Amino acid sequence: MELTYRPRRLRRTPALRAMVREHQLAPTDFIYPLFVHEGASNEPIGAMPGAKRWSLEGLVEEVGRAWDLGIRCVVLFPKVADGLKTEDGAECFNEHGLIPRAIRRLKQVHPAMAIMTDVALDPYSCDGHDGLVSAAGVVLNDETVAILCRQAVAQARAGADLIGPSDMMDGRVGAIREALDEQGFEHVGIISYTAKYASAYYGPFREALDSAPRANADKPIPSDKSTYQMDPANGREAILETQLDESEGADILMVKPGLAYLDIIYRLRQESEQPIAAYNVSGEYAMVKAAAERGWIDERAVTLETLLCFKRAGADLILTYHACDAAAWLRQG
Ligand code: PBG
């Protein structure tokens, strides 16, 4: 054949392929999500092999391991004891609560590691929703935002670098920005869950924290989060959320879940000049682990391919439970 263009010329050797490779993965792309509880030992999580509910000291050790692998940011999620859960989730702004204590301890031992937090009521609410549930079973917006502001300030006071509102209440980014600034935390950033979908992929996470919506005899509790998280059918609406979060002062924009939403990552990348993060969520992690355990897929290859594809889609940062494994594999080359 007389072909002018033969794309295979640039695929012929490893050196040529490396020269024209458009995207690379690095450990600094990863944000490592970690669960922490009050217990003295580290507990495995059934649907998330390799992830654990860490004790405070276990957490300190795991963060040290992540640092040594080149990871520079972790995000913390609390497993709150049932006895501390209330309708208003007030434990979320307790300055001596689990998360503020974990942040302070980590900052003592690993001061250079960036710490991101999650802002939402679900781990602290006996109803298992990200916001306050009214007697009529409505998740209240503005009343919730007032509590989230107190939660964000408590986290900033403990030393958080990035506040991550995952609640999807309207106007929360602007309100949190104002509350942080008022308290002298203008240097603390906001990584907003900008396009967070009402997804079934969060199942293992809710198991890890025992934070799923809970039925209750006193009031009707919505069984899902679809009155505040986005409809998986909607793409344009993610652009609206992007415009709102930018105008309210978000520093980093996040899409969640990640894998089934690569088109949303791509659209945000076109829309915004700000850094974009993708959340490779618990259900995505569980699927890879389950198939790998059965020997049906090559865990290392599938994981590194998946993470790389987030970058190709336009993400600068990836929240992933695979962070330490992936960083170790990248180091091996
Ligand atoms: C809490 C929150 C959730 C996740 C992160 N923050 C669960 C939810 O919204 O129900 C999910 C993360 C994951 O599945 O890995 N608002």
Side-chain angles (χ1 to χ4, degrees):
M1 285 195 288
E2 281 184 40
L3 296 178
T4 307
Y5 295 107
R6 288 183 181 269
R8 289 186 54 188
R9 284 183 199 125
L10 297 182
R11 297 179 198 142
R12 194 169 51 84
T13 71
L16 291 168
R17 289 195 295 275
M19 286 167 65
V20 299
R21 188 161 293 136
E22 298 175 35
H23 297 281
Q24 314 273 349
L25 273 179
T28 46
D29 299 332
F30 305 144
I31 298 177
Y32 184 26
L34 290 161
F35 303 106
V36 57
H37 73 152
E38 293 286 1
S41 56
N42 306 320
E43 283 177 7
I45 299 166
M48 301 181 71
K52 294 191 170 59
R53 289 181 207 93
W54 300 97
S55 68
L56 270 188
E57 286 321 301
L59 180 74
V60 167
E61 244 175 74
E62 181 66 0
V63 170
R65 186 170 81 96
W67 177 271
D68 293 340
L69 285 165
I71 293 163
R72 292 294 177 261
C73 186
V74 296
V75 52
L76 305 179
F77 296 99
K79 163 85 167 68
V80 177
D82 262 353
L84 293 175
K85 296 190 184 189
T86 55
E87 279 184 293
D88 66 358
E91 176 65 14
C92 77
F93 54 78
N94 176 2
E95 309 252 345
H96 308 289
L98 182 55
I99 289 295
R101 271 184 286 130
I103 297 171
R104 289 199 178 91
R105 181 86 185 103
L106 284 177
K107 285 292 179 182
Q108 277 173 352
V109 185
H110 306 295
M113 180 67 96
I115 297 182
M116 170 183 165
T117 55
D118 195 76
V119 167
L121 299 190
D122 49 330
Y124 306 92
S125 156
C126 52
D127 299 332
H129 275 285
D130 294 25
L132 295 173
V133 185
S134 77
V138 175
V139 177
L140 300 171
N141 195 87
D142 301 15
E143 295 84 345
T144 297
V145 170
I147 300 177
L148 300 178
C149 287
R150 298 181 68 177
Q151 182 180 17
V153 167
Q155 293 170 345
R157 188 161 284 134
D161 299 282
L162 290 169
I163 304 294
S166 72
D167 54 283
M168 288 304 275
M169 298 299 120
D170 293 334
R172 91 277 207 209
V173 170
I176 290 172
R177 184 69 272 155
E178 206 180 309
L180 291 172
D181 292 353
E182 255 171 33
Q183 298 292 319
F185 298 113
E186 60 288 323
H187 55 284
V188 173
I190 297 179
I191 172 167
S192 177
Y193 289 66
T194 296
K196 177 173 177 180
Y197 288 85
S199 171
Y201 283 97
Y202 308 149
F205 175 98
R206 293 180 190 168
E207 178 203 316
L209 298 187
D210 188 20
S211 63
R214 289 184 191 180
N216 165 339
D218 302 335
K219 59 182 179 189
I221 303 292
S223 60
D224 64 35
K225 301 189 175 183
S226 50
T227 69
Y228 47 104
Q229 298 180 348
M230 287 175 57
D231 186 332
N234 293 356
R236 287 196 312 269
E237 193 183 348
I239 303 300
L240 174 62
E241 289 284 2
T242 300
Q243 291 164 349
L244 288 170
D245 277 3
E246 284 195 330
S247 71
E248 292 176 33
D251 299 284
I252 300 175
L253 309 174
M254 194 204 299
V255 174
K256 178 182 174 196
L259 255 193
Y261 296 81
L262 292 180
D263 59 320
I264 306 299
I265 297 170
Y266 184 79
R267 287 170 79 158
L268 260 67
R269 177 73 292 154
Q270 308 307 302
E271 172 71 19
S272 177
E273 301 307 324
Q274 289 184 245
I276 304 226
Y279 201 141
N280 177 212
V281 299
S282 57
E284 299 169 25
Y285 177 82
M287 291 193 301
V288 170
K289 286 289 180 180
E293 269 178 15
R294 285 161 180 74
W296 291 348
I297 58 170
D298 175 339
E299 179 178 359
R300 173 189 160 131
V302 165
T303 301
L304 291 176
E305 177 181 333
T306 301
L307 296 172
L308 180 63
C309 291
F310 282 124
K311 297 207 63 187
R312 192 204 61 232
D316 305 287
L317 296 164
I318 307 158
L319 290 86
T320 181
Y321 304 96
H322 298 286
C324 281
D325 285 343
W329 289 326
L330 290 173
R331 180 166 288 185
Q332 289 163 11

